[in-house]
């Protein structure tokens, strides 16, 4: 099954929507990322695989294909890690719940499953508003201004999974805050 998860890419200070399309199928264990990824994006597969292993998800005998579209735009940085992880979990059935079409996922993954802020977080939040995203799932960063978009700041990949399953509606620290 193919899954699409929205994220945001950066070109200098200009942000644009990136659809992270993921397909997991049986096969020789591998992760392939296409769609003009730079070296830091290609390294996402190692960070994400380790984070998934930490939460008990294995990629043994699975081939994962990740397409970052649109294909014309060069992708850089680790900001797609969270969207890639969510796409893999959803595509392989680990997440049964629907991923909202109007939500964006931004953040770098730690090997232990922690989600971290990346350079350009303010530009990505501004782009999310411009792109009419209704929710933004991102790591806590006190420097990010509140915009007219509802954001959900989570610390770990497991928190994001609980949010998608409807098991986590409020996170005590850092808080879930509407910003309108």
């Amino acid at each position: 099954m193919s899954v699409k998860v929205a994220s945001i890419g950066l070109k200098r200070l200009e942000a644009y929507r990136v659809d992270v399309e993921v397909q997991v199928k049986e096969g020789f264990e591998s992760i392939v990322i296409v769609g003009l990824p730079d070296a830091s994006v290609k390294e996402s597969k190692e960070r994400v695989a380790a984070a998934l292993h930490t939460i008990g998800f294995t990629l043994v005998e699975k081939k994962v294909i990740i397409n970052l579209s649109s294909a014309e735009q060069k992708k850089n940085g680790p900001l797609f890690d969270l969207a890639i992880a969510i796409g893999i979990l959803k595509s392989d059935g680990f997440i049964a719940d629907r991923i909202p079409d109007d939500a964006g996922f931004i953040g770098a993954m730690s090997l232990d499953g922690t989600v971290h802020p990346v350079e350009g977080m303010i530009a990505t939040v501004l782009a999310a508003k411009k792109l009419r995203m209704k929710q933004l799932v991102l790591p806590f960063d006190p420097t990010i201004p509140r915009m007219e978009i509802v954001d959900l700041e989570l610390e770990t990949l497991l928190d994001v999974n609980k949010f998608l399953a409807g098991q986590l509606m409020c996170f005590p620290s850092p808080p879930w805050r509407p910003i309108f």
Side-chain angles (χ1 to χ4, degrees):
M1 163 168 103
S2 293
V3 173
K4 191 184 292 186
V5 180
S7 190
I8 297 173
L10 291 173
K11 183 176 182 180
R12 295 180 192 88
L13 290 178
E14 188 175 324
Y16 54 92
R17 181 185 175 111
V18 173
D19 288 322
V20 178
E21 299 172 300
V22 179
Q23 186 177 79
V24 177
K25 55 188 179 178
E26 300 300 317
F28 181 72
E29 186 175 326
S30 64
I31 301 175
V32 178
I33 302 176
V34 298
L36 289 179
D38 73 356
S40 61
V41 176
K42 289 179 182 177
E43 291 173 352
S44 291
K45 58 186 174 185
E46 303 303 331
R47 288 187 300 271
V48 170
L52 293 174
H53 179 74
T54 298
I55 67 166
F57 181 84
T58 180
L59 291 172
V60 175
E61 297 183 21
K62 308 252 170 130
K63 180 173 184 169
V64 179
I65 302 168
I66 300 161
N67 179 38
L68 305 175
S69 67
S70 80
E72 301 88 32
Q73 193 75 267
K74 183 138 178 92
K75 318 310 180 298
N76 55 27
L79 66 164
F80 308 112
D81 287 5
L82 180 58
I84 289 169
I86 295 301
I88 291 171
L89 292 171
K90 176 66 177 168
S91 181
D92 203 41
F94 194 81
I95 295 175
D97 303 283
R98 186 180 81 78
I99 297 173
D101 296 330
D102 58 0
F105 295 81
I106 301 163
M109 297 299 308
S110 222
L111 303 183
D112 67 358
T114 304
V115 186
H116 295 284
V118 294
E119 281 187 45
M121 293 292 286
I122 292 173
T124 58
V125 171
L126 294 170
K129 180 181 179 193
K130 185 177 178 182
L131 294 168
R132 297 190 175 131
M133 290 183 174
K134 302 282 191 245
Q135 288 183 324
L136 202 51
V137 179
L138 65 161
F140 177 71
D141 184 345
T143 65
I144 297 174
R146 301 292 165 227
M147 306 301 292
E148 291 178 10
I149 187 172
V150 176
D151 65 347
L152 182 60
E153 297 171 331
L154 300 169
E155 292 181 344
T156 69
L157 189 53
L158 284 175
D159 295 335
V160 178
N161 191 26
K162 288 178 186 175
F163 160 68
L164 291 171
Q167 298 169 356
L168 185 65
M169 299 311 286
C170 181
F171 195 65
S173 177
W176 188 90
R177 300 180 277 208
I179 46 181
F180 42 157

